[in-house]
């Protein structure tokens, strides 16, 4: 009789564990749909060669001026066209550092001084890399474009930008 009770207890425990396991199965996760962030043309920017003032390129730009915009930048975007860029405008000229957290594609980061000349640039910043990329000199503006464009345009420190809001 004692053996039968033990057997019943073991069977009951096994059935209880099966029920518990089946009720704890992973339920399908609720997916959160986020809106795709797309480029919004807010102005145009030109880059000129420092020695000759010849036009190197002209691109459409989106501005990052508010605290939220400058903190978010190109995060959560899948790509950008080669004729597009994001121009960050800071209130004062100072040292700035950027990183690639939640940025899904490689970019060139062009650091621009208050006099609109290029102070330094970081080519081919890699997606999702959280290492800080410093301006190396005090700057007021930053232009982010697709990786490889700084080399294609033959950018140099001292080249100058001009931009217009539309």
């Amino acid at each position: 009789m004692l053996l039968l009770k033990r057997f019943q207890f073991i069977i009951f425990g096994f059935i209880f564990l099966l029920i518990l396991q089946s009720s704890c199965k992973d339920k399908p996760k609720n997916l959160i749909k986020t809106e795709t962030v797309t480029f919004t043309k807010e102005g145009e920017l030109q880059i000129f060669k420092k020695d000759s003032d010849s036009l190197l390129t002209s691109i459409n730009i989106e501005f990052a001026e508010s605290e939220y915009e400058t903190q978010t930048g190109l995060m959560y975007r899948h790509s950008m066209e080669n004729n597009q860029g994001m121009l960050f405008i800071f209130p004062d000229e100072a040292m700035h550092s950027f990183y690639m957290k939640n940025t899904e594609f490689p970019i060139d980061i062009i650091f621009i001084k208050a006099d609109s000349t290029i102070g330094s640039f970081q080519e081919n910043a890699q997606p999702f890399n959280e290492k800080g990329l410093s301006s190396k000199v005090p700057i007021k503006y930053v232009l982010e474009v697709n990786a490889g464009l700084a080399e294609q345009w033959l950018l140099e420190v001292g080249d100058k930008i001009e931009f217009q809001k539309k």
Side-chain angles (χ1 to χ4, degrees), residues 94-148:
M95 296 293 289
H96 288 278
S97 184
F98 278 60
Y99 61 94
M100 298 291 290
K101 181 179 179 177
N102 298 319
T103 305
E104 299 180 18
F105 56 98
I107 61 173
D108 291 343
I109 304 171
I110 304 163
F111 298 100
I112 304 159
K113 299 190 294 185
D115 68 0
S116 298
T117 60
I118 295 174
S120 67
F121 48 92
Q122 171 68 51
E123 295 181 86
N124 201 27
Q126 290 301 298
F128 304 107
N129 187 340
E130 294 189 36
K131 178 183 172 195
L133 305 168
S134 173
S135 63
K136 298 186 178 39
V137 297
I139 51 106
K140 182 163 175 70
Y141 309 99
V142 171
L143 176 63
E144 292 183 341
V145 295
N146 283 333

Side-chain angles (χ1 to χ4, degrees), residues 13-72:
F14 181 71
I15 292 172
F16 177 75
L17 286 175
L18 283 176
I19 293 171
L20 184 63
Q21 181 183 8
S22 67
S23 67
C24 292
K25 282 189 178 179
D26 288 336
K27 294 179 180 166
K29 294 182 179 176
N30 293 335
L31 293 178
I32 299 172
K33 288 188 176 185
T34 57
E35 293 293 321
T36 301
V37 182
T38 58
F39 180 82
T40 302
K41 180 181 175 180
E42 298 175 325
E44 295 178 357
L45 180 138
Q46 299 79 36
I47 303 176
F48 298 92
K49 202 71 187 149
K50 66 179 171 181
D51 297 327
S52 63
D53 284 334
S54 61
L55 180 66
L56 290 174
T57 192
S58 182
I59 62 171
N60 298 321
I61 53 172
E62 185 172 335
F63 292 96
E65 296 179 90
S66 72
E67 186 175 341
Y68 174 77
E69 290 169 335
T70 58
Q71 288 178 1
T72 307

